[in-house]
Amino acid sequence: MKNFKTLLFITLMSSLCLTAQNKDTKKADKHFARFEFVKAAESYNDLVEDGKADAYVYGQLAESYYNIFNTEAAERWYAKALETSEKPEMVYKYSQMLKANGKYEASNQQMEKFASMRPADNRAIAFRKNPNYLPKILEQGKKFNVQNADFNSTQSDFGGTMHDGKLYITSGRNDSRKTYGWNDQPFLDIYTIVKNSDSTYQEATLANDKINTRFHEGLVSFTPDGKTMYFSRESYFEKDYQKDSLSSTRFSQLYLFKATKLGDDWDMVENLAINSQNYSVKNPSVSPDGQTLYFASNMPGGFGDFDIYKAAINADGTLGTPENLGQKVNTEGQEMFPYISSNNTLYFSSNGHLGLGGLDVFYTKDIDGKLAPARNVGIPINSNADDFAFIMDEEAGQGFVSSNREGGKGSDDIYEFKKLQPLFDVLISATVLDDKTREPISGASVTLFDEEGNKVVSKLTNEDGIAEFIVEAEKDSELEVVMDGFDSKKVPVEGTNEEEKNIQISLDPIEVLITPVNIVLAPIFFEFDQSNITAQAAFELDKLVQIMTKYPELVIHATSHTDARGP
């Protein structure tokens, strides 16, 4: 969806250096400057066929195809342009297009090149810290069932916000609108679709003309009381735009508006005070308590092209000062489409964090006033195309995500999904060492117990002494480690929302339990009023079995006693 998503949701784009413009490229450059990328690509291709192409033309061709998400053509022309050019951002985009086309090894090679050119870039730092991230994303399992929605059209459809039994979407299906040169599709409008009791949908209906104009309108979000709707719209409607003195092209911004519910419809549309002719604000999402508005913006002071911000919604409906969510969320790339769910999980789309290609959906959560590291939602929500506008009802475990992946009905489609497994999980990596030599112990048995004390799974450590487990986030657990010749050990693992938790477990050689007069064990207790011993006592006696097995000549004298508490 580099088409409308990029226009409506990325009004400024990074273009290549224009110093190579000449009279031959004038026509194509004019289309490019007007964001008419389909026509721009045609004109630049004409120059290639006429033998008038150079690195500049190849680069502009790549950018044109990148912006309409023709990944194969963009890959081809980025490769051609980079034969004689060394532009870091072009290298990064080339890497993204290779990944979008499933060429992961080649993509990583370009990412390594990008990282060497911009070692301080957070995208480069993240890649070098975790260069083998792709298998981890692909192997974390399918936690959702995803289906293409029946109400999609042959044009662009995205979003999906339920309110009062109606689904609000953004669509370019209105053929009465003039087409936009970015991708030759009609301008976007907001539609409502009634959901029937059997979960089918009725025909899409245009929202009223107080909401829709002849310009683009975007995603919507509602306050908890249902009385206020926030949405995006082009600033042309406010007669706010900038004009390029050379090309006479007018540049709009994206503004946020709010409308008030009057009866059964929306009215009293207001332009928000945070809007500016100098930057865009878009993709509104109201927090569950109605006190905070999340949105995306390219306002000055951010980390990348578009960052995610939040602003307090005051009692009188005005907004407080926007606050950037920081570098755990925002990168030098694009972060957009924030959605704050009922359990205060923040979902958003990014092409700057490590993903599968294009925009991927990520999530984070506020824990004790700090945001956890952003994590990839994984497949099948994410694909090697653009995946965005993720919205989920946490209680029902279902929602909508938009994508321009292959197999859709239009350039962008809305997909319904159902959550199959808990999304939040943690990789526990347990390293078992010999406490005396500090060498890893291979073949040790590591057993995971849940917070109720139930055995979940047992694994043997590999040659590096490592055993790995996937557990649900924020859930306490316990690891039990047993190895012949060593003192067994149990280690509690506190629940966390971090992506990985590394634990080092040192085992003492079994000899430390043997003294000249006794075997050192914890007390052996029985269950109250029962003849069987406790689980902890059994764990201790297993140590005694190990000792007797290793030293069969030992003579053990065991004694036991009861007390008078039970009948």
Side-chain angles (χ1 to χ4, degrees):
M1 182 186 192
K2 282 281 190 300
N3 37 43
F4 283 134
K5 181 182 67 241
T6 314
L7 156 86
L8 198 95
F9 307 106
I10 312 178
T11 52
L12 298 179
M13 35 102 201
S14 60
S15 147
L16 303 179
C17 177
L18 299 182
T19 55
Q21 286 180 313
N22 55 53
K23 60 181 180 64
D24 292 325
T25 67
K26 185 176 181 180
K27 177 183 176 182
D29 291 335
K30 189 173 182 179
H31 287 307
F32 191 93
R34 291 178 174 176
F35 303 144
E36 298 169 350
F37 295 115
V38 174
K39 294 179 180 177
E42 292 173 356
S43 296
Y44 288 124
N45 269 311
D46 289 341
L47 294 176
V48 173
E49 293 177 3
D50 293 341
K52 298 179 180 180
D54 54 15
Y56 169 78
V57 171
Y58 300 142
Q60 292 294 91
L61 254 176
E63 289 286 291
S64 298
Y65 285 123
Y66 178 89
N67 281 298
I68 58 177
F69 207 69
N70 185 332
T71 59
E72 293 183 358
E75 175 199 326
R76 180 169 67 255
W77 294 114
Y78 276 133
K80 188 69 176 176
L82 287 168
E83 290 177 0
T84 55
S85 176
E86 291 287 320
K87 298 181 184 296
E89 203 60 33
M90 187 190 294
V91 174
Y92 182 78
K93 289 182 177 180
Y94 180 38
S95 169
Q96 293 295 96
M97 293 297 95
L98 285 165
K99 186 161 53 177
N101 293 329
K103 300 176 181 179
Y104 297 137
E105 185 175 348
S107 173
N108 280 354
Q109 290 174 357
Q110 293 302 314
M111 274 301 298
E112 186 59 48
K113 181 178 179 181
F114 170 76
S116 66
M117 300 168 80
R118 283 189 178 171
D121 190 298
N122 282 313
R123 294 169 294 179
I125 293 170
F127 172 76
R128 285 193 159 167
K129 183 179 179 181
N130 189 13
N132 298 316
Y133 67 94
L134 279 167
K136 291 183 179 180
I137 296 174
L138 294 170
E139 292 170 5
Q140 68 185 29
K142 295 183 178 181
K143 300 180 183 299
F144 298 86
N145 178 39
V146 176
Q147 300 290 334
N148 191 288
D150 292 337
F151 50 75
N152 286 308
S153 71
T154 57
Q155 304 296 343
S156 184
D157 303 286
F158 56 94
T161 303
M162 289 297 303
H163 178 68
D164 283 347
K166 292 181 180 179
L167 179 66
Y168 286 72
I169 69 169
T170 299
S171 177
R173 67 183 67 193
N174 188 354
D175 293 333
S176 65
R177 298 280 191 233
K178 65 177 183 178
T179 57
Y180 184 67
W182 190 294
N183 65 351
D184 288 343
Q185 290 191 19
F187 276 63
L188 296 166
D189 286 313
I190 295 171
Y191 283 79
T192 61
I193 306 175
V194 174
K195 187 174 184 178
N196 300 316
S197 58
D198 61 355
S199 296
T200 60
Y201 294 90
Q202 298 180 18
E203 290 295 318
T205 304
L206 269 171
N208 69 41
D209 56 11
K210 297 291 180 66
I211 303 299
N212 287 318
T213 67
R214 61 191 182 94
F215 304 106
H216 288 295
E217 277 75 37
L219 301 182
V220 305
S221 183
F222 301 91
T223 54
D225 62 11
K227 296 180 180 178
T228 304
M229 176 175 73
Y230 293 88
F231 65 98
S232 304
R233 176 189 287 166
E234 269 193 291
S235 63
Y236 282 133
F237 185 75
E238 302 293 298
K239 296 182 171 56
D240 286 351
Y241 56 85
Q242 296 177 358
K243 190 173 183 179
D244 183 82
S245 58
L246 296 177
S247 65
S248 297
T249 302
R250 296 188 303 173
F251 297 92
S252 69
Q253 302 290 359
L254 271 297
Y255 282 0
L256 286 183
F257 294 80
K258 69 176 182 178
T260 301
K261 189 74 172 291
L262 294 179
D264 294 329
D265 217 336
W266 298 97
D267 207 331
M268 299 174 61
V269 175
E270 299 178 44
N271 179 339
L272 300 189
I274 60 172
N275 295 326
S276 170
Q277 289 186 1
N278 300 315
Y279 54 81
S280 287
V281 286
K282 62 189 183 182
N283 309 152
S285 179
V286 181
S287 63
D289 61 8
Q291 297 181 12
T292 307
L293 180 68
Y294 290 79
F295 58 91
S297 177
N298 61 346
M299 65 177 63
F303 296 99
D305 291 341
F306 271 89
D307 282 7
I308 295 174
Y309 291 79
K310 67 178 181 180
I313 300 176
N314 300 319
D316 62 359
T318 61
L319 294 183
T321 303
E323 176 186 343
N324 190 293
L325 294 193
Q327 287 183 287
K328 284 190 175 180
V329 170
N330 296 312
T331 70
E332 289 86 345
Q334 311 259 12
E335 279 70 46
M336 303 178 288
F337 301 98
Y339 170 69
I340 188 77
S341 74
S342 59
N343 65 6
N344 287 309
T345 299
L346 175 66
Y347 300 91
F348 64 96
S349 289
S350 170
N351 64 6
H353 291 282
L354 298 176
L356 299 176
L359 289 169
D360 269 23
V361 178
F362 295 82
Y363 67 94
T364 182
K365 196 170 185 179
D366 189 300
I367 302 174
D368 298 328
K370 295 182 179 180
L371 286 172
R375 301 178 61 182
N376 194 296
V377 170
I379 58 173
I381 293 295
N382 289 323
S383 66
N384 59 358
D386 284 324
D387 307 292
F388 55 99
F390 180 97
I391 297 174
M392 179 165 67
D393 180 332
E394 297 282 6
E395 287 68 36
Q398 57 191 27
F400 302 92
V401 66
S402 302
S403 179
N404 60 356
R405 65 188 65 182
E406 289 186 5
K409 299 176 183 177
S411 58
D412 300 303
D413 274 10
I414 299 169
Y415 291 79
E416 296 183 271
F417 65 78
K418 177 72 176 178
K419 186 168 69 172
L420 304 176
Q421 301 176 30
L423 177 60
F424 303 97
D425 52 33
V426 179
L427 172 66
I428 295 179
S429 180
T431 303
V432 181
L433 301 175
D434 183 325
D435 190 58
K436 187 175 181 180
T437 66
R438 307 309 296 169
E439 292 294 320
I441 299 176
S442 174
S445 174
V446 185
T447 303
L448 174 71
F449 293 86
D450 64 20
E451 61 183 350
E452 303 297 330
N454 301 308
K455 180 179 176 180
V456 178
V457 65
S458 292
K459 294 184 177 181
L460 298 179
T461 55
N462 62 20
E463 61 184 10
D464 297 317
I466 298 173
E468 294 181 330
F469 304 89
I470 295 292
V471 300
E472 190 175 348
E474 301 177 356
K475 295 286 188 180
D476 295 338
S477 56
E478 186 178 52
L479 294 177
E480 177 184 288
V481 186
V482 177
M483 181 64 185
D484 287 343
F486 290 87
D487 180 14
S488 303
K489 186 172 288 187
K490 283 188 175 182
V491 179
V493 181
E494 186 177 354
T496 179
N497 197 46
E498 297 291 328
E499 189 168 356
E500 294 186 17
K501 186 158 188 170
N502 297 309
I503 297 175
Q504 194 174 93
I505 304 171
S506 298
L507 299 185
D508 293 315
I510 201 72
E511 286 76 11
V512 302
L513 300 179
I514 306 173
T515 74
V517 294
N518 65 356
I519 306 298
V520 181
L521 300 176
I524 307 300
F525 291 116
F526 290 78
E527 296 287 1
F528 176 69
D529 198 28
Q530 295 184 36
S531 61
N532 54 291
I533 58 176
T534 64
Q536 179 61 38
F539 179 71
E540 291 297 315
L541 288 178
D542 282 340
K543 299 179 183 180
L544 183 60
V545 172
Q546 287 193 57
I547 293 171
M548 295 173 69
T549 301
K550 186 171 184 179
Y551 301 103
E553 71 277 9
L554 278 178
V555 176
I556 307 295
H557 182 90
T559 62
S560 178
H561 69 86
T562 62
D563 60 36
R565 291 178 300 160

